[in-house]
Amino acid sequence: MMKRRLGSDGPEIGAIALGCMSFGGFYGPTDEATSHRALDAAWDNGITHLDTANIYGMGVSEEFIGAYLRRHPGRFTIATKAGNTRDAQRRFNNSPEHLRESLEASLRRLGVDHVELFYLHRREQALPIEGVMETMVRFKEEGKIGGIGLSEVSPGTLRRAATVHPIMAVQSEYSLWTRLPDLGLLNACAVLGAAFVAF
């Protein structure tokens, strides 16, 4: 499979990654054995990067991946996310306390001491992105994450965030349904050296 680099100095990964939201039952019932067969098939086809999040099955996706990695350590690079909540209000929480608690819980479920990429899943508009970035930078300095990602942000938010620290990747929908990234986000990623990760 062709390779792509995450950011200007991140790891090289397969050009196609595997999104693991379905492991958490989002599209219907699943189980660990089925998820592990999907991971085997992904590896056999040259996929080396997995994308998950703490809210995919409320941790189930990460638990299934963690169980797989215990048998196949180092096989995949991992991206996970935090900043969404699944409480009654379905709100965003970018506070330092919430992001740290979420990251630590993700690492425990995955059975690793760091992930290659940690995304802010959604931006909480009430908090300046520069302050949120300072929290993310601390995680990187502590060795818990390899790079900082942003999910579903505007070009302006990306540019502001990049004044604090380089962004490894920006994830956004780019499909037959929407071409919104053409309106500036793709260009901003190219200028700033951030990988654009389409779903």
Side-chain angles (χ1 to χ4, degrees):
M1 182 182 291
M2 295 176 63
K3 300 287 187 179
R4 298 283 188 271
R5 186 171 297 281
L6 285 173
S8 58
D9 59 358
E12 277 199 339
I13 61 172
I16 298 172
L18 179 65
C20 299
M21 187 163 67
S22 63
F23 292 3
F26 186 84
Y27 298 109
T30 188
D31 56 37
E32 184 174 300
T34 303
S35 299
H36 286 190
R37 286 196 297 272
L39 292 172
D40 283 337
W43 178 255
D44 290 343
N45 284 279
I47 291 173
T48 62
H49 184 65
L50 304 180
D51 181 277
T52 187
N54 63 334
I55 64 168
Y56 293 172
M58 300 310 294
V60 170
S61 175
E62 292 175 331
E63 289 172 358
F64 286 177
I65 294 168
Y68 185 89
L69 292 178
R70 283 194 289 276
R71 292 191 291 114
H72 304 286
R75 181 167 279 194
F76 295 103
T77 63
I78 306 294
T80 193
K81 314 178 195 74
N84 263 350
T85 68
R86 293 300 293 269
D87 55 21
Q89 288 78 32
R90 191 80 186 274
R91 60 192 176 88
F92 307 143
N93 186 344
N94 295 173
S95 70
E97 297 78 14
H98 178 76
L99 293 179
R100 180 172 292 279
E101 179 182 346
S102 298
L103 175 59
E104 297 285 0
S106 291
L107 294 176
R108 285 194 299 272
R109 287 189 291 265
L110 291 164
V112 297
D113 58 11
H114 82 284
V115 289
E116 286 76 15
L117 177 57
F118 186 58
Y119 286 103
L120 184 69
H121 204 165
R122 292 293 186 273
R123 182 186 170 198
E124 182 182 356
Q125 293 294 326
L127 296 180
I129 190 63
E130 293 85 354
V132 178
M133 283 294 296
E134 290 174 1
T135 298
M136 303 284 269
V137 169
R138 282 195 291 275
F139 298 156
K140 184 175 180 183
E141 291 172 345
E142 294 168 7
K144 297 181 185 298
I145 67 174
I148 298 168
L150 301 173
S151 181
E152 296 284 3
V153 296
S154 69
T157 294
L158 171 58
R159 285 191 287 268
R160 286 173 56 190
T163 65
V164 178
H165 189 279
I167 301 300
M168 180 179 280
V170 175
Q171 185 179 75
S172 188
E173 183 176 2
Y174 190 60
S175 67
L176 294 175
W177 296 108
T178 181
R179 284 293 196 264
L180 280 176
D182 285 333
L183 300 180
L185 187 58
L186 289 175
N187 182 66
C189 285
V191 169
L192 295 168
F196 180 79
V197 179
F199 67 87

Short mmCIF file of all heavy atoms in Angstrom, two decimals, residues 4-30:
data_model
loop_
_atom_site.label_atom_id
_atom_site.label_comp_id
_atom_site.label_asym_id
_atom_site.label_seq_id
_atom_site.Cartn_x
_atom_site.Cartn_y
_atom_site.Cartn_z
N ARG A 4 1.70 7.44 3.56
CA ARG A 4 1.52 8.88 3.79
C ARG A 4 2.17 9.20 5.13
O ARG A 4 2.18 8.36 6.04
CB ARG A 4 0.05 9.27 3.85
CG ARG A 4 -0.73 9.01 2.58
CD ARG A 4 -0.43 10.06 1.52
NE ARG A 4 -1.31 9.92 0.38
CZ ARG A 4 -1.08 9.16 -0.68
NH1 ARG A 4 0.02 8.40 -0.71
NH2 ARG A 4 -1.92 9.10 -1.68
N ARG A 5 2.69 10.42 5.26
CA ARG A 5 3.27 10.83 6.52
C ARG A 5 2.27 11.68 7.30
O ARG A 5 1.59 12.54 6.73
CB ARG A 5 4.56 11.63 6.30
CG ARG A 5 5.30 11.96 7.60
CD ARG A 5 6.67 12.56 7.35
NE ARG A 5 7.56 11.63 6.66
CZ ARG A 5 8.20 10.63 7.25
NH1 ARG A 5 8.04 10.41 8.56
NH2 ARG A 5 8.99 9.85 6.56
N LEU A 6 2.17 11.43 8.59
CA LEU A 6 1.33 12.24 9.45
C LEU A 6 2.10 13.51 9.82
O LEU A 6 3.07 13.46 10.58
CB LEU A 6 0.94 11.47 10.72
CG LEU A 6 -0.13 10.39 10.54
CD1 LEU A 6 -0.29 9.60 11.83
CD2 LEU A 6 -1.46 11.00 10.12
N GLY A 7 1.70 14.63 9.26
CA GLY A 7 2.38 15.88 9.54
C GLY A 7 3.73 15.94 8.86
O GLY A 7 4.07 15.11 8.02
N SER A 8 4.52 16.92 9.25
CA SER A 8 5.81 17.11 8.62
C SER A 8 6.87 16.16 9.13
O SER A 8 7.83 15.84 8.41
CB SER A 8 6.28 18.56 8.82
OG SER A 8 6.36 18.86 10.21
N ASP A 9 6.72 15.65 10.36
CA ASP A 9 7.74 14.76 10.90
C ASP A 9 7.15 13.60 11.70
O ASP A 9 7.82 13.00 12.55
CB ASP A 9 8.70 15.55 11.79
CG ASP A 9 8.01 16.24 12.95
OD1 ASP A 9 6.78 16.14 13.05
OD2 ASP A 9 8.70 16.88 13.77
N GLY A 10 5.90 13.25 11.42
CA GLY A 10 5.26 12.14 12.12
C GLY A 10 5.55 10.82 11.46
O GLY A 10 6.33 10.73 10.50
N PRO A 11 4.94 9.76 11.93
CA PRO A 11 5.18 8.43 11.37
C PRO A 11 4.58 8.28 9.98
O PRO A 11 3.61 8.94 9.62
CB PRO A 11 4.49 7.50 12.37
CG PRO A 11 3.41 8.34 12.97
CD PRO A 11 3.97 9.73 13.04
N GLU A 12 5.16 7.38 9.19
CA GLU A 12 4.58 7.00 7.91
C GLU A 12 3.55 5.91 8.16
O GLU A 12 3.80 4.96 8.91
CB GLU A 12 5.65 6.49 6.94
CG GLU A 12 6.37 7.58 6.19
CD GLU A 12 7.06 7.06 4.95
OE1 GLU A 12 7.32 5.85 4.87
OE2 GLU A 12 7.35 7.87 4.04
N ILE A 13 2.40 6.05 7.53
CA ILE A 13 1.33 5.08 7.70
C ILE A 13 0.78 4.73 6.33
O ILE A 13 1.02 5.43 5.34
CB ILE A 13 0.19 5.64 8.59
CG1 ILE A 13 -0.43 6.89 7.96
CG2 ILE A 13 0.71 5.93 10.00
CD1 ILE A 13 -1.67 7.39 8.67
N GLY A 14 0.02 3.64 6.26
CA GLY A 14 -0.66 3.30 5.02
C GLY A 14 -1.62 4.41 4.62
O GLY A 14 -2.22 5.07 5.46
N ALA A 15 -1.76 4.60 3.30
CA ALA A 15 -2.61 5.69 2.80
C ALA A 15 -4.07 5.52 3.20
O ALA A 15 -4.82 6.49 3.29
CB ALA A 15 -2.48 5.79 1.28
N ILE A 16 -4.49 4.29 3.44
CA ILE A 16 -5.84 4.00 3.93
C ILE A 16 -5.72 3.51 5.37
O ILE A 16 -4.90 2.62 5.67
CB ILE A 16 -6.54 2.95 3.07
CG1 ILE A 16 -6.70 3.47 1.63
CG2 ILE A 16 -7.90 2.58 3.65
CD1 ILE A 16 -7.21 2.42 0.67
N ALA A 17 -6.50 4.09 6.25
CA ALA A 17 -6.53 3.67 7.65
C ALA A 17 -7.86 2.98 7.94
O ALA A 17 -8.77 2.98 7.10
CB ALA A 17 -6.32 4.87 8.57
N LEU A 18 -7.96 2.41 9.11
CA LEU A 18 -9.20 1.77 9.53
C LEU A 18 -9.84 2.58 10.64
O LEU A 18 -9.26 2.72 11.73
CB LEU A 18 -8.95 0.33 10.00
CG LEU A 18 -10.19 -0.44 10.48
CD1 LEU A 18 -11.16 -0.66 9.32
CD2 LEU A 18 -9.79 -1.77 11.10
N GLY A 19 -11.04 3.09 10.40
CA GLY A 19 -11.82 3.73 11.44
C GLY A 19 -12.55 2.68 12.25
O GLY A 19 -13.19 1.78 11.68
N CYS A 20 -12.47 2.78 13.57
CA CYS A 20 -12.94 1.70 14.44
C CYS A 20 -14.20 2.06 15.22
O CYS A 20 -14.46 1.47 16.28
CB CYS A 20 -11.82 1.29 15.39
SG CYS A 20 -10.34 0.67 14.53
N MET A 21 -14.99 2.99 14.69
CA MET A 21 -16.24 3.33 15.37
C MET A 21 -17.18 2.14 15.41
O MET A 21 -17.92 1.94 16.39
CB MET A 21 -16.91 4.52 14.69
CG MET A 21 -18.12 5.06 15.40
SD MET A 21 -18.60 6.73 14.88
CE MET A 21 -19.11 6.42 13.20
N SER A 22 -17.16 1.30 14.36
CA SER A 22 -18.07 0.15 14.33
C SER A 22 -17.77 -0.86 15.42
O SER A 22 -18.65 -1.62 15.83
CB SER A 22 -17.98 -0.54 12.96
OG SER A 22 -16.69 -1.05 12.74
N PHE A 23 -16.52 -0.87 15.94
CA PHE A 23 -16.18 -1.81 17.02
C PHE A 23 -17.02 -1.53 18.26
O PHE A 23 -17.20 -2.41 19.09
CB PHE A 23 -14.70 -1.71 17.39
CG PHE A 23 -13.75 -2.20 16.34
CD1 PHE A 23 -14.19 -2.63 15.10
CD2 PHE A 23 -12.38 -2.22 16.59
CE1 PHE A 23 -13.30 -3.08 14.12
CE2 PHE A 23 -11.49 -2.67 15.64
CZ PHE A 23 -11.94 -3.10 14.40
N GLY A 24 -17.48 -0.29 18.40
CA GLY A 24 -18.29 0.08 19.55
C GLY A 24 -19.78 -0.13 19.34
O GLY A 24 -20.58 0.31 20.16
N GLY A 25 -20.16 -0.78 18.24
CA GLY A 25 -21.57 -1.09 18.01
C GLY A 25 -22.37 0.01 17.35
O GLY A 25 -23.60 -0.05 17.31
N PHE A 26 -21.69 1.01 16.79
CA PHE A 26 -22.42 2.15 16.21
C PHE A 26 -23.30 1.73 15.04
O PHE A 26 -24.39 2.27 14.85
CB PHE A 26 -21.42 3.22 15.76
CG PHE A 26 -22.06 4.51 15.29
CD1 PHE A 26 -22.44 5.47 16.20
CD2 PHE A 26 -22.29 4.73 13.95
CE1 PHE A 26 -23.04 6.66 15.78
CE2 PHE A 26 -22.88 5.91 13.51
CZ PHE A 26 -23.25 6.86 14.43
N TYR A 27 -22.84 0.77 14.25
CA TYR A 27 -23.60 0.35 13.06
C TYR A 27 -24.37 -0.94 13.28
O TYR A 27 -24.92 -1.51 12.35
CB TYR A 27 -22.65 0.18 11.87
CG TYR A 27 -21.96 1.47 11.48
CD1 TYR A 27 -20.61 1.65 11.72
CD2 TYR A 27 -22.67 2.51 10.90
CE1 TYR A 27 -19.98 2.83 11.37
CE2 TYR A 27 -22.05 3.70 10.56
CZ TYR A 27 -20.70 3.84 10.79
OH TYR A 27 -20.08 5.02 10.46
N GLY A 28 -24.39 -1.41 14.51
CA GLY A 28 -25.09 -2.65 14.81
C GLY A 28 -24.25 -3.51 15.74
O GLY A 28 -23.10 -3.20 16.03
N PRO A 29 -24.83 -4.62 16.20
CA PRO A 29 -24.13 -5.46 17.18
C PRO A 29 -22.80 -5.98 16.63
O PRO A 29 -22.68 -6.32 15.45
CB PRO A 29 -25.11 -6.61 17.41
CG PRO A 29 -26.44 -6.07 17.02
CD PRO A 29 -26.17 -5.11 15.90
N THR A 30 -21.81 -6.05 17.50
CA THR A 30 -20.52 -6.63 17.15
C THR A 30 -19.93 -7.25 18.41
O THR A 30 -20.54 -7.20 19.48
CB THR A 30 -19.58 -5.57 16.56
OG1 THR A 30 -18.39 -6.21 16.06
CG2 THR A 30 -19.18 -4.54 17.60
#
